[in-house]
């Protein structure tokens, strides 16, 4: 099976679904993280271009630790939108990678890039299967299944699906440890540690799911027919 996780900014996917992606890899699935924005707004003491380069290097290390591919779109922070050019870029990726499952951040909270990434994923998944959309590659036979994930701990996310990540939590932490700049930004803005925040979220979802640690997802029949088999591990 082929899985793509859309990350609005570097580290979002690892924080939210790193354990799930590790479980997909354990069962032999092909997994790709597509990072849209370059993270150049995270720290005020590093010039944006230098920070973007640093964030990309950290994201590459994290992806290597998860055993997944990383595709870098390179948009500036606060510029993630479902505009025509970006939609076409993502359609090209979807047609080349042919995912069965697309994971994207739920449009909750006040981070505009997360909402933009969700709208981008929705639009591109439909366009990738439309025969008259002229992009690279052949149209997909059908849009990939689309699930929303919680980018952080914003209230209002109501899960419909859980993945037990108790056996991949260590791998998730190892990937998050690569995101040094993200950890510094979170420490400065919220006074919390990246790994501790991630573990708190998955422990809470684990309580809901009846396991030690879990990651949460939301499906929505309004986005099209739901698959007849479970795609999550």
């Amino acid at each position: 099976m082929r899985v793509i996780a859309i990350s609005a900014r570097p580290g979002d996917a690892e924080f939210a679904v790193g354990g799930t992606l590790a479980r997909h890899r354990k069962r032999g699935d092909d997994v790709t993280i597509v990072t849209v924005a370059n993270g150049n707004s995270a720290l005020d003491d590093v010039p944006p271009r230098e920070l973007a380069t640093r964030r990309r290097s950290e994201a590459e290390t994290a992806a290597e630790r998860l055993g997944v591919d990383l595709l870098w779109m390179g948009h500036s922070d606060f510029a993630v939108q479902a505009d025509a050019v970006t939609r076409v870029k993502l359609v090209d990726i979807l047609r080349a990678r042919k995912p069965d499952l697309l994971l994207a951040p739920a449009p909750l909270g006040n981070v505009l890039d997360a909402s933009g990434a969700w709208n981008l994923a929705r639009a591109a998944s439909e366009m990738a299967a439309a025969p008259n959309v002229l992009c690279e590659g052949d149209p997909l036979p059908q849009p990939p299944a689309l699930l929303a994930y919680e980018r952080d701990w914003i209230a209002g996310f109501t899960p419909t699906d859980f993945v037990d990540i108790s056996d991949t939590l260590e791998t998730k932490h190892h990937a998050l440890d690569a995101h040094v700049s993200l950890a510094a930004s979170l420490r400065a803005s919220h006074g919390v540690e990246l790994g501790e925040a991630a573990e708190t979220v998955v422990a809470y979802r684990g309580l809901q799911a009846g396991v030690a640690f879990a990651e949460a997802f939301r499906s929505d029949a309004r986005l099209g027919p739901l698959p007849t088999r479970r795609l999550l591990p």
Side-chain angles (χ1 to χ4, degrees):
M1 198 177 89
R2 293 174 293 275
V3 181
I4 288 181
I6 304 295
S7 190
R9 294 180 182 176
D12 286 357
E14 294 91 318
F15 181 91
V17 298
T20 298
L21 299 184
R23 285 203 57 187
H24 275 293
R25 287 298 299 131
K26 285 184 70 173
R27 76 178 191 184
D29 295 338
D30 181 271
V31 180
T32 302
I33 294 175
V34 176
T35 302
V36 186
N38 58 24
N40 61 3
S41 69
L43 299 172
D44 58 9
D45 59 344
V46 182
R49 290 186 180 180
E50 178 183 338
L51 182 56
T53 300
R54 184 186 301 180
R55 298 296 301 277
R56 181 170 186 169
S57 176
E58 292 169 354
E60 289 171 347
T61 300
E64 182 178 354
R65 292 177 179 181
L66 285 176
V68 307
D69 294 332
L70 174 69
L71 297 180
W72 189 263
M73 298 188 76
H75 287 241
S76 181
D77 285 5
F78 306 109
V80 178
Q81 301 180 44
D83 61 275
V85 173
T86 309
R87 289 200 308 266
V88 168
K89 289 180 179 179
L90 185 55
V91 169
D92 287 343
I93 291 172
L94 297 182
R95 287 185 173 181
R97 296 274 167 161
K98 299 177 174 56
D100 304 288
L101 176 61
L102 184 62
L103 307 175
L108 298 172
N110 59 0
V111 178
L112 296 178
D113 286 341
S115 297
W118 172 255
N119 293 332
L120 176 62
R122 284 192 61 183
S125 63
E126 294 179 18
M127 291 172 64
N132 288 333
V133 173
L134 300 180
C135 297
E136 296 292 329
D138 296 327
L140 301 180
Q142 61 186 16
L146 176 60
L147 294 178
Y149 65 75
E150 52 182 344
R151 176 183 171 274
D152 50 27
W153 52 88
I154 295 295
F157 186 82
T158 305
T160 59
D161 300 275
F162 296 93
V163 173
D164 182 355
I165 66 157
S166 303
D167 62 346
T168 55
L169 180 62
E170 184 176 347
T171 303
K172 176 185 176 106
H173 275 304
H174 190 43
L176 283 175
D177 286 344
H179 286 284
V180 178
S181 301
L182 176 60
S185 175
L186 185 63
R187 191 179 302 117
S189 61
H190 294 282
V192 299
E193 296 299 322
L194 179 62
E196 292 177 1
E199 186 158 332
T200 298
V201 173
V202 297
Y204 171 66
R205 294 305 184 189
L207 284 173
Q208 292 180 309
V211 298
F213 301 101
E215 290 172 345
F217 300 85
R218 186 175 68 209
S219 59
D220 191 337
R222 292 173 296 179
L223 301 180
L226 299 177
T228 57
R229 63 186 178 92
R230 179 177 168 89
L231 298 178
L232 291 167

